[in-house]
Amino acid sequence: MKQRIVTGVVAGAFFIALAVAGSWLYAGLLVLLAMVGFTEYVKMNGQAWAHPASLLGYAGVLFFVLPWNLIGVETPSFMFVTWVLAFLLLALTVLTKNKTTIDHAALMLLGALYVGMGFGAMNAVRQMDDHGLFWTFLLLGCIWSSDIGAYFAGKAFGKNKLWPSISPNKTIEGALGGVVLSLIVAAIGAFFFPDVIGIGKALLIGLLAAVAGQFGDLIQSAYKRVRDIKDTGRILPGHGGVLDRCDSWIIVFPLIVLSGLLPM
């Protein structure tokens, strides 16, 4: 636990500092996290990082996560990039005479979307012209408060299992506690920044962030259970890998962006 706390404080302070700095410092961190996260994804699926299908996956992640506006290039069409990536992966199954299977191709496409779009949405939110830093911290605050609320509410009141076949330690009471604390944090954001966000929208974002964030955690738990691993990596002592630590982020940010609740 001591190691977990120390790692969390140091890594959290470093992340927050770069988020405040913004521009290429934060964008570069997210690109790095995306590449490390996809490496974990490739490894947990038993694939080699240098395999042609994996390399196509890395290329897809880069297309989705790169801050094109900072480069001065128009953001590539999502449909175009996704279709080309899918085509190349499918073509690879033919060119390799099924040594690269359709399952392998599908896994790499899914991973590129899951990891690349997740961190890409985080980049897009921070790069917003209007209050990008506020929106970034509001979403992160809701996610982190949901995690904290779920942990302590589960410890204090947890009796009914939420999803025992996937994550046996999570409880319904804990999940509700996470939602409540996320709503409180969102309401605080609306109280101090009424010119940026109204209370109604804030509460909706708080609710979506808490529910989607907890679901993101369950998604990663389900995946690790299928692959029979405890952590996706070891880059963060006491916390596991990038996907272990960021599993909620890479679900919440794309969902909130796609919901239209942010003035993108």
Side-chain angles (χ1 to χ4, degrees):
M1 180 58 71
K2 181 180 179 180
Q3 183 184 55
R4 184 179 178 87
I5 293 173
V6 171
T7 301
V9 170
V10 173
F14 180 71
F15 182 86
I16 289 172
L18 292 191
V20 171
S23 190
W24 270 108
L25 288 174
Y26 183 64
L29 174 63
L30 293 181
V31 171
L32 176 62
L33 289 175
M35 299 307 283
V36 173
F38 189 73
T39 300
E40 294 173 355
Y41 177 87
V42 169
K43 184 178 179 181
M44 68 192 279
N45 281 291
Q47 306 299 331
W49 72 267
H51 189 283
S54 301
L55 294 178
L56 285 172
Y58 280 109
V61 170
L62 275 177
F63 269 105
F64 291 129
V65 76
L66 279 175
W68 295 99
N69 61 319
L70 294 180
I71 300 173
V73 177
E74 185 177 350
T75 302
S77 164
F78 171 78
M79 181 179 293
F80 174 79
V81 173
T82 304
W83 189 88
V84 169
L85 180 59
F87 170 73
L88 291 175
L89 285 167
L90 291 171
L92 193 60
T93 66
V94 176
L95 295 174
T96 62
K97 300 178 181 179
N98 270 334
K99 289 182 180 179
T100 298
T101 67
I102 189 69
D103 293 341
H104 189 184
L107 279 171
M108 293 303 104
L109 178 61
L110 176 62
L113 290 169
Y114 174 51
V115 178
M117 287 293 292
F119 286 107
M122 293 182 69
N123 239 339
V125 171
R126 181 62 184 90
Q127 301 301 329
M128 288 170 58
D129 292 333
D130 295 323
H131 308 291
L133 183 60
F134 167 80
W135 293 111
T136 295
F137 280 138
L138 178 67
L139 296 186
L140 288 173
C142 289
I143 294 169
W144 290 336
S145 61
S146 176
D147 289 343
I148 294 170
Y151 178 80
F152 285 105
K155 285 287 186 181
F157 310 110
K159 294 181 180 179
N160 300 289
K161 299 297 183 180
L162 177 65
W163 218 304
S165 62
I166 298 297
S167 187
N169 293 326
K170 288 182 172 57
T171 63
I172 294 175
E173 293 82 2
L176 292 175
V179 170
V180 170
L181 192 54
S182 178
L183 290 172
I184 291 173
V185 168
I188 291 173
F191 178 80
F192 283 103
F193 297 91
D195 57 325
V196 180
I197 186 172
I199 185 64
K201 180 183 286 189
L203 292 177
L204 182 55
I205 288 176
L207 177 63
L208 287 176
V211 174
Q214 292 183 39
F215 214 88
D217 188 284
L218 288 170
I219 288 171
Q220 198 56 231
S221 295
Y223 212 145
K224 289 188 290 187
R225 189 168 291 274
V226 168
R227 297 305 187 211
D228 195 26
I229 58 175
K230 182 179 183 296
D231 297 315
T232 62
R234 300 178 180 176
I235 193 171
L236 298 170
H239 290 266
V242 167
L243 295 183
D244 291 311
R245 186 63 273 167
C246 304
D247 51 8
S248 298
W249 308 1
I250 58 179
I251 293 295
V252 171
F253 274 81
L255 175 64
I256 299 298
V257 169
L258 293 171
S259 71
L261 289 171
L262 304 187
M264 302 293 290

